[in-house]
């Protein structure tokens, strides 16, 4: 009897069960998969950044300069830290936490890098235009949201390191303490 006749694939999961898991949707179903199906290997971190097209290249360059090219999982949400904690879009919160849990489970990430950026449209949409007009106020608002997300991550995953960063439109990155 061959694999087609048994309905089993190369790792011993029936096709029907495989499809059922896939239909469950997104990362949550990955947690139910047997260890043989899970991705192998470790990566250093999970990066959360904004979807802003203006900073895609700068973000990749920054991670490469840090020696992390090919060594991180990347989650992209509008507003980055704000997207992960805002009440305005609760599904985004859920998405972030599911991705973080999957990254920990599949790749044993030991650090979350949260990269916000200046002149963020999502911050303006969610918090209003006034949040970011003054550079000092803008930095303070980002710092507040970044620190709130770090607090929540630390509560759920106390062993996970969390790094907070703010990128300017020119690609310069400053740490938020």
């Amino acid at each position: 009897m061959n694999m087609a006749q048994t309905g089993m694939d190369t790792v011993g999961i029936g096709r029907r069960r495989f499809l059922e898991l896939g239909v469950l949707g997104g990362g949550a179903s990955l947690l139910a998969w047997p260890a043989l199906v899970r991705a192998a290997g470790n990566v250093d971190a999970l990066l959360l950044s904004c979807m802003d097209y203006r900073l895609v290249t700068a973000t990749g360059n920054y991670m490469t300069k840090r020696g992390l090219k090919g060594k991180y999982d990347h989650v992209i949400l509008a507003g980055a830290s704000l997207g992960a904690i805002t009440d305005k879009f609760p599904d985004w919160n859920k998405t972030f936490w599911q991705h973080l849990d999957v990254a920990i489970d599949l790749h044993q990430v030991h650090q979350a890098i949260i990269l916000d950026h200046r002149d963020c449209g999502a911050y303006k949409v969610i918090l209003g235009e006034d949040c970011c007009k003054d550079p000092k106020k803008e930095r303070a608002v980002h710092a507040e949201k970044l620190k709130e997300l770090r607090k929540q991550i630390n509560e759920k995953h106390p062993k996970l390191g969390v790094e907070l960063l703010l990128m300017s439109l020119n690609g310069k990155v400053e740490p938020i303490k």
Side-chain angles (χ1 to χ4, degrees), residues 55-156:
L55 295 167
V56 171
T57 300
T59 298
N61 290 343
Y62 174 75
M63 296 301 282
T64 298
K65 286 177 189 171
R66 290 189 54 174
L68 292 171
K69 183 176 183 178
K71 297 180 182 178
Y72 65 96
D73 290 326
H74 195 174
V75 176
I76 300 173
L77 288 176
S81 66
L82 179 61
I85 62 173
T86 183
D87 292 334
K88 189 166 185 173
F89 300 105
D91 289 339
W92 296 3
N93 311 155
K94 185 177 178 182
T95 296
F96 170 73
W97 292 109
Q98 287 175 336
H99 277 80
L100 180 60
D101 289 343
V102 169
I104 291 168
D105 184 52
L106 291 180
H107 299 145
Q108 296 77 47
V109 299
H110 59 270
Q111 179 181 26
I113 301 170
I114 315 301
L115 178 64
D116 276 11
H117 72 88
R118 291 187 177 272
D119 193 34
C120 181
Y123 267 73
K124 294 172 188 173
V125 167
I126 295 168
L127 301 177
E129 289 286 332
D130 290 340
C131 77
C132 302
K133 286 183 178 179
D134 175 65
K136 286 183 183 179
K137 182 178 178 183
E138 177 185 33
R139 186 187 186 286
V141 170
H142 279 281
E144 174 190 339
K145 301 307 177 188
L146 285 160
K147 290 175 183 178
E148 175 59 31
L149 180 55
R150 177 176 58 199
K151 177 182 166 227
Q152 291 182 26
I153 292 171
N154 287 336
E155 288 171 356
K156 293 180 182 184

